[in-house]
Amino acid sequence: MAVSELSPTGQEAAELAADVRYHQYRYYALDDPEISDQAFDALFEELRALEAAHPALRTPDSPTQRVGGAIAARFEKTRHPSLMLSLANAFNPGELFAWRERLHRLLSEAERARLAYVVEPKFDGLTVVLHYIDGVFSLGATRGDGEFGETITANLRTVRLLPLQIPADRAAGLAAPARLVVRGEAYVEKADFARFNQRQLEAGERAYANPRNFAAGSLRQLDSSITAARPLKLWVYQALIVEGGPALSSHGEALAYLRALGLPVCPDVQRFTDDEFDQVAAYVAAFSARRHDLPYEVDGLVIKVDSLLMQEELGFTGKDPRWALAYKYAAEEAITTLHDIVVNVGRTGAVTPNAVLEPVQVSGVMVKSATLHNEGLHP
Ligand code: IVH
């Protein structure tokens, strides 16, 4: 519905919602608020009160709907617009160069001359597929089995970095695409995870094993108000469908477009021509150490053929595209001393044994305690 077709109250609500959305985007996505927290709270409260008085004005993309509250009996299934493929892995430089050789064999000489790669972090979270219709976030799903995912729209609406409307910045001068489907990763930052687990343990509750499990568990809550209270973040890394938008010829262009729409796209992206492939290998090696300084978990890098036309020509084998490769870092292990085992009894009577450890650095994090419910898995 266009704003001009609304009643005066409807118009007021639409304008308030647009203002709140804009300031949320400045605050969460750009980290550059234009107004004080108090001024923002006042705007938000005004919108909430208006919607409370006129419930018909409460649209699903209203910023007030981010606080959750929708309780599902179970998750519906969504069929993905195309198969959500996974990635072939490489664990050493030999496998990286072998992948490039394969691409060289499959592409023509003219294509080889234009071949370039985009290298980006491999985010370790929960894969999500997000749908926007006429610029409105209308559906979000997990990857599931690749063909069908679980519909977790209400939970994803609570993720502050996910724009409920695109373009997130009305001043960007971009039109909303008629249809946009993107793939990304929802995750929790290491520090937020540690803080949450600490509080859980203090309350005698179960701690999550790692940020990835925490992110996945948070998004698969049937009560979206639980999800709303979790510090979830999001990176978007692939445009699956763009209808009614600019013609895109490369992955790099697609990322720039998604970023311009206000979707969270990781800035840590590098482009290399095929002639610079030695630098790809060097970058992969150097990134292995640097990844521990990132606030989020990365289990490798993804190397993608930049040209979308070449991607299409290369296609996929089984469940893996030939045009992309995940370079995986080995999980880190460390040895330390067990000082004590403390048994927590939760409010529900659940008993969780926790190890008190001599602090040790693992994957850039200082580990002082560990839950012990996976006894036997690590002899
Ligand atoms: S591209 C068709 N890029 O890793 C390939 N995937 O092991 C599309 N992942 O569940 C995926 N970071 O969702 C791509 N920068 C990134 C990624 C990424 C994490 C996930 C992916 C998949 C898993 C594959």
Side-chain angles (χ1 to χ4, degrees):
M1 196 183 331
V3 170
S4 56
E5 293 166 22
L6 293 168
S7 66
T9 330
Q11 186 147 349
E12 193 188 341
E15 281 168 14
L16 260 176
D19 283 348
V20 170
R21 235 180 252 120
Y22 172 72
H23 291 297
Q24 278 183 328
Y25 170 69
R26 300 283 320 186
Y27 185 90
Y28 290 107
L30 303 185
D31 214 0
D32 184 19
E34 265 175 15
I35 59 173
S36 70
D37 289 3
Q38 290 78 0
F40 176 79
D41 290 347
L43 264 185
F44 191 90
E45 186 46 38
E46 205 180 320
L47 175 63
R48 213 197 46 73
L50 195 62
E51 288 179 347
H54 308 273
L57 299 176
R58 193 179 289 133
T59 57
D61 62 332
S62 166
T64 60
Q65 300 309 294
R66 281 196 194 276
V67 291
I71 301 180
R74 63 182 180 86
F75 295 116
E76 301 291 329
K77 293 264 190 280
T78 297
R79 184 195 278 272
H80 297 306
S82 57
L83 211 55
M84 289 303 113
L85 302 169
S86 54
L87 291 169
N89 293 324
F91 296 96
N92 55 56
E95 289 169 350
L96 177 64
F97 282 95
W99 174 69
R100 180 206 194 192
E101 287 305 312
R102 209 171 318 129
L103 295 178
H104 282 189
R105 279 200 303 277
L106 292 165
L107 296 170
S108 70
E109 208 177 316
E111 285 171 326
R112 277 201 299 272
R114 287 184 287 108
L115 181 56
Y117 307 88
V118 171
V119 184
E120 52 195 60
K122 186 172 182 309
F123 311 109
D124 200 10
L126 182 76
T127 301
V128 292
V129 181
L130 313 172
H131 297 237
Y132 288 85
I133 305 288
D134 292 326
V136 176
F137 174 60
S138 55
L139 188 136
T142 63
R143 175 167 180 256
D145 63 6
E147 188 183 358
F148 290 93
E150 283 177 320
T151 312
I152 52 166
T153 315
N155 290 350
L156 283 165
R157 273 202 188 106
T158 70
V159 177
R160 301 300 194 271
L161 277 173
L162 185 154
L164 298 177
Q165 267 194 23
I166 49 168
D169 185 350
R170 289 165 294 165
L174 271 179
R179 182 169 177 230
L180 179 77
V181 184
V182 296
R183 178 170 172 167
E185 205 83 357
Y187 68 97
V188 172
E189 288 194 351
K190 296 180 219 175
D192 288 332
F193 168 71
R195 250 193 305 275
F196 183 88
N197 255 1
Q198 184 66 36
R199 262 188 266 131
Q200 287 286 103
L201 290 177
E202 281 164 11
E205 303 280 346
R206 189 176 87 82
Y208 280 88
N210 55 51
R212 203 194 103 82
N213 285 357
F214 180 46
S218 299
L219 275 173
R220 298 193 66 262
Q221 296 289 333
L222 290 170
D223 176 353
S224 57
S225 66
I226 297 179
T227 311
R230 303 286 172 87
L232 286 160
K233 296 211 161 170
L234 176 74
W235 289 125
V236 166
Y237 51 71
Q238 197 188 10
L240 294 166
I241 293 178
V242 184
E243 284 172 15
L248 301 167
S249 66
S250 71
H251 177 61
E253 279 175 23
L255 291 182
Y257 175 58
L258 298 179
R259 187 179 290 124
L261 288 174
L263 288 156
V265 173
C266 181
D268 233 319
V269 173
Q270 297 283 329
R271 188 176 186 275
F272 298 93
T273 64
D274 187 55
D275 286 344
E276 298 167 332
F277 202 79
D278 284 349
Q279 289 178 41
V280 174
Y283 181 75
V284 165
F287 194 82
S288 169
R290 197 165 73 76
R291 75 191 161 117
H292 298 311
D293 301 331
L294 295 173
Y296 49 87
E297 292 222 314
V298 163
D299 62 341
L301 286 170
V302 186
I303 303 131
K304 301 176 180 176
V305 168
D306 193 25
S307 156
L308 296 180
L309 198 63
M310 286 188 219
Q311 286 190 3
E312 204 171 311
E313 278 176 23
L314 288 162
F316 54 94
T317 52
K319 288 208 153 193
D320 305 326
R322 290 196 190 85
W323 49 263
L325 184 72
Y327 193 101
K328 296 275 268 284
Y329 298 118
E332 256 185 60
E333 293 185 10
I335 292 177
T336 189
T337 310
L338 174 66
H339 288 310
D340 198 2
I341 294 178
V342 179
V343 178
N344 281 319
V345 182
R347 271 189 311 220
T348 56
V351 175
T352 16
N354 286 290
V356 179
L357 304 170
E358 178 62 27
V360 63
Q361 189 87 16
V362 191
S363 304
V365 177
M366 193 58 84
V367 177
K368 291 176 269 187
S369 63
T371 55
L372 292 173
H373 40 242
N374 291 331
E375 175 198 1
L377 283 179
H378 308 286

